[in-house]
């Protein structure tokens, strides 16, 4: 069965610091990869997704993620975080070729940005 | 467009009671989902409906039933609530395939005493 690991449970950064959140998955075939974000008091929403092509994907609010197939990773990055980036971030994956299969989510990483 | 709506927002039940969580979407989406979110556990899929008239089990279906009432509505029923079902429940929908962007509702916070 597929699984997704987000190794950082809680990350605390100062404003303007650079961010990298780890995401590793356990499926050996072709995958679709996603990052979702949940801001305090808001709905979960899509940050970015990768299906194929350029492994460096750009999303909303200055976020990007890089798919490294050899490392089974899809890490989320942002060069300079803002207080408004405080949120919980979820990585998700599903198989690209096993039919219409639902996403498997990681356990999430809580990001706290302090002034 | 309201997007995905869920009712109720909060609910407290006693062990053994039953209840139904309602979800509706106005985006004409084919696929709908029910997740639960627990601290340190992330989002876990309970059931999903890839299209109207079909439902499938997700990762944690035990203790739950679902009904895809029509294209818009997807309800989740707890027949005999247990304290282990204390959680925040999210409904989501996506346009067609399960890889399409999912749009989430605001959640229902359920406490089972």
């Amino acid at each position: 069965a597929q699984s997704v690991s987000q190794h950082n449970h809680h990350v605390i950064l100062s404003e303007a610091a650079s961010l990298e959140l780890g995401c590793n998955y356990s499926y050996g075939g072709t995958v679709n990869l996603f990052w979702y974000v949940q801001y305090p008091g808001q709905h979960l929403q899509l940050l970015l997704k990768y299906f194929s092509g350029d492994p460096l994907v750009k999303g909303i609010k200055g976020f990007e993620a890089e798919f490294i197939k050899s490392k089974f990773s899809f890490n989320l990055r942002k060069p300079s975080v803002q207080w408004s980036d405080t949120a919980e971030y979820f990585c998700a994956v599903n198989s690209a070729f096993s039919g219409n299969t639902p996403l498997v989510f990681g356990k999430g990483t809580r990001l706290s940005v302090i002034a | 467009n309201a997007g995905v709506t869920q009712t109720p927002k909060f609910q407290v039940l006693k062990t053994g009671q039953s209840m139904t969580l309602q979800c509706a979407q106005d985006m004409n989406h084919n696929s709908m989902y029910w997740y639960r979110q627990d601290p340190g556990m992330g989002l876990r899929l309970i059931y999903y409906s890839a299209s109207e008239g079909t439902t499938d089990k997700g990762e944690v279906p035990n203790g739950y039933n679902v009904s895809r009432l029509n294209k818009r509505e997807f309800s989740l029923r707890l027949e005999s609530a247990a304290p282990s079902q204390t959680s925040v429940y999210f409904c989501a929908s996506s346009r067609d395939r399960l890889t399409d962007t999912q749009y989430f509702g605001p959640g229902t916070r359920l406490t089972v005493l």
Side-chain angles (χ1 to χ4, degrees):
Chain A
Q2 297 169 47
S3 66
V4 179
S5 296
Q6 293 182 245
H7 305 293
N8 306 108
H9 178 62
H10 188 194
V11 173
I12 303 173
L13 294 174
S14 298
E15 279 192 311
S18 64
L19 169 72
E20 181 160 3
L21 300 182
C23 172
N24 290 90
Y25 61 92
S26 67
Y27 184 69
T30 302
V31 293
N32 301 307
L33 297 153
F34 305 78
W35 277 97
Y36 279 83
V37 61
Q38 185 177 27
Y39 297 103
Q42 295 189 27
H43 306 186
L44 277 95
Q45 58 184 287
L46 181 70
L47 203 51
L48 49 79
K49 60 185 177 183
Y50 172 81
F51 284 5
S52 63
D54 188 344
L56 185 62
V57 180
K58 295 194 183 299
I60 60 172
K61 303 188 180 186
F63 286 90
E64 65 180 30
E66 185 175 13
F67 170 51
I68 303 180
K69 189 174 182 179
S70 61
K71 295 185 177 180
F72 298 89
S73 70
F74 190 55
N75 291 355
L76 182 71
R77 302 195 294 243
K78 186 171 184 178
S80 175
V81 295
Q82 300 172 314
W83 178 82
S84 58
D85 294 324
T86 295
E88 189 151 19
Y89 294 81
F90 295 93
C91 183
V93 64
N94 81 335
S95 165
F97 290 124
S98 296
N100 197 17
T101 59
L103 299 184
V104 174
F105 282 83
K107 294 183 178 181
T109 297
R110 186 156 62 100
L111 172 65
S112 299
V113 181
I114 56 177
Chain B
N1 284 352
V4 179
T5 57
Q6 293 182 235
T7 55
K9 286 187 166 50
F10 300 94
Q11 184 70 49
V12 178
L13 293 178
K14 294 181 180 178
T15 297
Q17 287 185 314
S18 62
M19 79 161 296
T20 300
L21 281 64
Q22 306 287 353
C23 173
Q25 51 89 10
D26 63 0
M27 296 174 282
N28 201 35
H29 285 174
N30 285 312
S31 301
M32 297 185 74
Y33 316 82
W34 276 106
Y35 294 92
R36 59 178 291 173
Q37 183 180 24
D38 303 290
M41 299 296 291
L43 283 164
R44 292 182 292 171
L45 183 65
I46 304 171
Y47 272 93
Y48 65 102
S49 171
S51 61
E52 186 179 356
T54 69
T55 60
D56 286 285
K57 295 178 180 179
E59 181 184 353
V60 289
N62 291 346
Y64 305 95
N65 285 303
V66 290
S67 295
R68 184 74 184 266
L69 304 170
N70 47 55
K71 191 171 185 179
R72 289 187 63 249
E73 299 172 287
F74 188 40
S75 63
L76 178 72
R77 183 159 178 84
L78 287 71
E79 291 291 351
S80 179
S84 60
Q85 294 178 304
T86 293
S87 187
V88 180
Y89 291 85
F90 288 99
C91 179
S93 70
S94 64
R95 188 181 60 186
D96 289 308
R97 295 188 62 78
L98 302 182
T99 49
D100 290 334
T101 300
Q102 293 189 24
Y103 295 84
F104 286 81
T108 295
R109 187 173 293 275
L110 175 66
T111 302
V112 183
L113 303 175

